[in-house]
Amino acid sequence: MPIELVPITPENALLFKEVRLRALKTDPSAFGSTYAKESLLDDAGWIQRIRYWGEYRTGFLALDGDLPCGMIAVFPDEDNPGCAQLISMWVAPEHRQTGLGRHLIDAAKSWAASHAFRELRLFVTCINKGAIEFYIRNGFAKTGRVQPYPNDPNVIEYEMATALTPPRTAYPVE
């Protein structure tokens, strides 16, 4: 059965909870939050979190049957109009090197471009060499901007960005 990408909604928020907590436990240095913090959120809190996203934020779950195996989210960059932030990107270790990560990135790029964002940006820790290489292979480049990683000020995060291509509009042929 092929992996399916589905939008994260209040109806599947508990699947998002499952994959997010697994990601925080498996790859803690890949996220600005922590397992200890997010595991305290009850089910109603996870559902409310997704409701808060509204129409200008989105996320996608990767499902292998009924099992969540990846995620990605895109939020507007509040400091930089026209840019969107890619956050919460993660693929389960057993699904890495299968094309799933690229599929998640493509879904995020498509959604952002269809909402008139011109650029997609992200932060990645300097110690996450595999993710940096992955993002470069998927069209991202370092912008030169860095910031301290929130969970360890001795680690820095690189900002990376990629330009988005607006969706093509079909025009009638005369």
Side-chain angles (χ1 to χ4, degrees):
M1 171 181 257
I3 305 294
E4 179 184 15
L5 293 191
V6 298
I8 298 171
T9 65
E11 291 74 30
N12 64 19
L14 299 184
L15 288 175
F16 173 62
K17 171 188 176 181
E18 180 182 332
V19 75
R20 174 81 175 165
L21 292 177
R22 181 176 177 209
L24 289 165
K25 205 181 248 188
T26 304
D27 294 298
S29 66
F31 301 95
S33 189
T34 65
Y35 177 84
K37 177 183 171 187
E38 293 199 22
S39 64
L40 297 176
L41 196 58
D42 65 10
D43 290 352
W46 284 93
I47 294 167
Q48 185 58 35
R49 173 189 266 189
I50 303 309
R51 284 196 177 113
Y52 168 76
W53 286 8
E55 73 177 275
Y56 293 105
R57 298 175 180 167
T58 197
F60 296 95
L61 284 174
L63 299 175
D64 186 355
D66 293 334
L67 299 174
C69 58
M71 64 180 173
I72 197 166
V74 183
F75 286 17
D77 184 331
E78 295 178 11
D79 298 326
N80 196 346
C83 292
Q85 284 286 330
L86 187 151
I87 62 168
S88 296
M89 168 74 184
W90 186 77
V91 172
E94 65 274 14
H95 287 86
R96 293 178 187 164
Q97 305 294 318
T98 66
L100 177 55
R102 180 182 35 76
H103 196 43
L104 285 163
I105 291 284
D106 289 346
K109 285 179 177 179
S110 178
W111 182 89
S114 73
H115 285 76
F117 292 106
R118 296 180 310 278
E119 191 172 51
L120 188 58
R121 294 175 177 248
L122 61 90
F123 279 97
V124 60
T125 59
C126 65
I127 59 175
N128 197 341
K129 304 291 187 208
I132 293 167
E133 291 170 6
F134 167 78
Y135 291 127
I136 289 169
R137 284 193 310 272
N138 283 276
F140 289 83
K142 291 179 185 174
T143 66
R145 182 175 167 206
V146 298
Q147 66 184 22
Y149 174 57
N151 298 329
D152 182 350
N154 296 315
V155 174
I156 63 166
E157 291 183 312
Y158 299 124
E159 182 182 58
M160 300 182 80
T162 188
L164 297 172
T165 305
R168 296 181 65 169
T169 303
Y171 294 99
V173 178
E174 295 188 30

